[in-house]
Amino acid sequence: MSQVLMPSQKVATIFNFIGGEFVAATSGKTFDKRSPVDGRLLGLVSEAGEAEVDRAVNAARAALTGPWGALEMAERTELLYAVASEINRRFDAFLQAEVADTGKPASLARHIDIPRGAANFKIFADVVKNVPGEFFRTDTPDRQGAINYAIRVPKGVIAVIAPWNLPLLLMTWKVGPALACGNTVVVKPSEETPSTATLLGEVMTAVGVPKGVYNVIHGFGPGSAGELLTRHPGIDAVTFTGETRTGAAIMKAVADRVRPVSFELGGKNAGIVFADCDFDAAVEGMGRAVFANCGQVCLGTERVYVERPLFERFVAALKAKAESLKPGRPEDAKTGLGPLISQEHRTKVLSYYEQARKDGATVVTGGGIPKMEGELARGCWVEPTIWTGLPESSAVVREEIFGPCCHLRPFDTEEEAVRLANDTRYGLATTIWTTKLARAHRVAAKIEAGIIWVNCWFLRDLRTPFGGSKQSGIGREGGVHSLEFYTELRNVCVKL
Ligand code: NAD
Ligand code: 6OD
């Protein structure tokens, strides 16, 4: 955690990072950051108010028209490679900070969150260097013709609003391409996970990224830093990852100024397991899709449809998988499951556990709070949970829970599986398990989701389009698709 101890304080203060400096809010307001593992106070976070948001946006604007805007692309991309290297050099500090804020197993953050945090800078530096240009020769009545070519310019000051489930990964997934395209950013990390975004400020300074290119303001959403940022007249676009209803609030906030948005929102993702699947691979893959990061992955699976002949065997195998996951301290190598992010989120997840019972579910495993010893008893733990027997109309099957749980239901035909998977207002990701090649392609083509995985889950190539259909998002990012959002095209027409 980026910690600065004030003489009178027992815990660290996490400051905003504005114009290259760590700054406290002029209001002096702070909020607590507690550990999801044991409820311990980890730090006091300085809550940005109007003055800090204004200062951050102005710093970003000054850098855009100043030192950052003056760089050649090669100079800019060299700095981004340096950012990636510096994150890797400070790997342990990032790991510690991410694990402290989220409580997730250190092994998970070591293999996913932190490496991707670095890769997001390197890959998008590569992408912008290789983007093809657009050129047309146009006929004219005098037969001399004209040439048209498009130039890409940065969109400007980008507001990046990030969630808490994969804090560094998801924040840099936006900051990497935004900076690669020559924009400057004001980041509002989740109030639950302020640390790695703050640490990244130190990295930016260390490698010589000009002041004001990367700014961080801390706070909450409505009535706080998040809303103040989206309503600020100085921002040119908002890129947001989080809940669908927050996306709706942000759209309203930017509507009067007609600012563009890129949204990666919620999901209620399906897994379809055909009887011809590689059974062990499907159990392993769906086990990760349901329980990884304590089920707090937007791409995770909360609805599993299994072809009837395999149903009982699959339920039993997934149950065994769930029961093998031991909750515990993040740094303990035996820990298979971390806590949820907060007591508030635990209350929400447990309300769905209760709803499932009320709706008549068969609780295959879990459904409650695990018994934890000592200080851990104050953490935000829930049991990994599996249900069967719910109607598709149950809130547990329709709404995103964002916990380590899923409902399984048998199906009889391919058409039925596709219909069930698509029967949702969301459309983020669907996972299909089959060894029949033609079936894989046939079903994939009918799935209404932005991401379809066949015989794998969360296998990511950052050059591919990423995003959600229906209420799971607006737009696609990844590879050249990120450039569509983070740059603007200007066409130049030259009469010959
Ligand atoms: P959230 O929407 O509550 O918060 C996300 C961020 O938005 C936080 O920084 C929060 O402070 C801020 N915010 C909240 N209200 C705001 C407002 N009115 N104006 C401006 N900012 C506001 O989401 P969360 O609880 O942090 O994350 C979990 C959700 O995110 C789940 O729904 C999950 O599916 C979704 N998610 C989606 C993806 C994806 O790629 N589609 C990835 C990760 C998480
Ligand atoms: O891998 C990514 O780029 C990405 N955006 C993952 C999202 C995970 C959601 O929790």
Side-chain angles (χ1 to χ4, degrees), residues 412-488:
D412 293 300
T413 65
E414 197 176 291
E415 293 67 33
E416 185 190 6
V418 169
R419 182 179 56 73
L420 288 165
N422 286 341
D423 182 19
T424 167
R425 69 187 172 107
Y426 294 111
L428 190 54
T430 295
T431 304
I432 302 165
W433 299 89
T434 178
T435 51
K436 290 197 175 152
L437 188 62
R439 166 175 273 165
H441 290 295
R442 193 168 55 234
V443 172
K446 291 181 189 155
I447 292 297
E448 297 163 359
I451 300 141
I452 296 130
W453 276 298
V454 178
N455 297 330
C456 58
W457 178 74
F458 211 150
L459 182 56
R460 294 280 290 113
D461 181 327
L462 304 192
R463 297 167 298 181
T464 60
F466 180 97
S469 307
K470 301 195 248 181
Q471 290 187 28
S472 284
I474 295 180
R476 294 291 179 273
E477 296 198 32
V480 294
H481 308 283
S482 294
L483 307 193
E484 295 307 322
F485 183 72
Y486 294 106
T487 61
E488 220 154 64

Side-chain angles (χ1 to χ4, degrees), residues 116 165-166 169-170 173 264 297-299 458 460 466:
R116 260 296 298 280
N165 59 326
L166 301 163
L169 186 160
L170 289 173
W173 162 247
E264 292 173 11
V297 182
C298 62
L299 306 160
F458 211 150
R460 294 280 290 113
F466 180 97

Side-chain angles (χ1 to χ4, degrees), residues 2 51 55 61 126 184 215 306 308 332 342 366 392 438 466 493:
S2 184
R55 201 172 145 188
R61 177 71 54 198
D126 289 343
T184 56
N215 305 277
V306 185
R308 199 173 298 274
D332 185 337
S342 64
E392 290 294 296
F466 180 97
C493 177

Side-chain angles (χ1 to χ4, degrees), residues 264-318:
E264 292 173 11
L265 308 176
K268 187 72 183 178
N269 307 310
I272 305 177
V273 182
F274 287 99
D276 60 50
C277 72
D278 172 337
F279 184 80
D280 292 344
V283 171
E284 199 277 331
M286 289 319 292
R288 282 195 303 118
V290 175
F291 302 119
N293 208 36
C294 201
Q296 302 167 119
V297 182
C298 62
L299 306 160
T301 305
E302 292 187 356
R303 298 181 294 142
V304 186
Y305 301 104
V306 185
E307 202 166 357
R308 199 173 298 274
L310 205 62
F311 188 71
E312 297 301 333
R313 191 173 155 222
F314 194 85
V315 171
L318 203 61

Side-chain angles (χ1 to χ4, degrees), residues 19-338:
E21 286 166 28
F22 289 98
V23 296
T26 45
S27 68
K29 268 169 88 173
T30 60
F31 59 93
D32 293 354
K33 169 57 201 166
R34 291 190 176 273
S35 162
V37 172
D38 54 16
R40 195 166 36 97
L41 185 62
L42 292 173
L44 299 175
V45 188
S46 173
E47 183 179 349
E50 218 167 324
E52 288 71 44
V53 174
D54 201 41
R55 201 172 145 188
V57 174
N58 290 339
R61 177 71 54 198
L64 185 72
T65 51
W68 188 240
L71 293 183
E72 294 287 355
M73 186 203 285
E75 294 167 323
R76 204 165 68 222
T77 50
E78 278 313 309
L79 279 171
L80 298 186
Y81 292 134
V83 170
S85 304
E86 189 65 14
I87 293 173
N88 283 327
R89 205 180 67 75
R90 300 176 185 220
F91 195 95
D92 288 346
F94 275 97
L95 182 68
Q96 251 183 324
E98 203 74 314
V99 164
D101 274 2
T102 59
K104 65 177 74 189
S107 55
L108 191 67
R110 185 175 294 115
H111 289 110
I112 297 186
D113 301 66
I114 314 306
R116 260 296 298 280
N120 285 334
F121 287 98
K122 181 184 175 307
I123 302 253
F124 286 103
D126 289 343
V127 169
V128 291
K129 290 199 301 197
N130 293 302
V131 63
E134 199 175 302
F135 169 87
F136 294 98
R137 187 190 181 284
T138 308
D139 289 348
T140 56
D142 66 3
R143 307 184 80 81
Q144 297 304 302
I147 53 170
N148 285 274
Y149 62 92
I151 48 177
R152 278 187 188 275
V153 295
K155 209 155 240 169
V157 176
I158 311 287
V160 178
I161 302 186
W164 44 259
N165 59 326
L166 301 163
L168 182 70
L169 186 160
L170 289 173
M171 183 264 292
T172 53
W173 162 247
K174 308 290 199 174
V175 172
L179 298 192
C181 291
N183 302 283
T184 56
V185 296
V186 180
V187 175
K188 211 298 278 169
S190 168
E191 53 275 28
E192 302 289 355
T193 51
S195 298
T196 45
T198 311
L199 261 187
L200 191 58
E202 291 180 13
V203 166
M204 296 287 171
T205 304
V207 304
V209 170
K211 293 177 195 308
V213 170
Y214 174 82
N215 305 277
V216 181
I217 50 163
H218 291 297
F220 302 84
S224 179
E227 185 179 349
L228 289 170
L229 180 60
T230 58
R231 292 196 179 279
H232 197 288
I235 57 160
D236 296 301
V238 180
T239 183
F240 166 72
T241 305
E243 279 195 37
T244 297
R245 65 163 178 252
T246 310
I250 292 174
M251 271 184 112
K252 286 182 194 134
V254 300
D256 284 347
R257 287 171 294 108
V258 203
R259 293 299 79 214
V261 294
S262 173
F263 282 172
E264 292 173 11
L265 308 176
K268 187 72 183 178
N269 307 310
I272 305 177
V273 182
F274 287 99
D276 60 50
C277 72
D278 172 337
F279 184 80
D280 292 344
V283 171
E284 199 277 331
M286 289 319 292
R288 282 195 303 118
V290 175
F291 302 119
N293 208 36
C294 201
Q296 302 167 119
V297 182
C298 62
L299 306 160
T301 305
E302 292 187 356
R303 298 181 294 142
V304 186
Y305 301 104
V306 185
E307 202 166 357
R308 199 173 298 274
L310 205 62
F311 188 71
E312 297 301 333
R313 191 173 155 222
F314 194 85
V315 171
L318 203 61
K319 172 177 189 282
K321 181 99 191 160
E323 290 171 358
S324 73
L325 297 169
K326 298 290 167 239
R329 288 210 173 270
E331 54 282 0
D332 185 337
K334 291 199 284 298
T335 296
L337 196 78

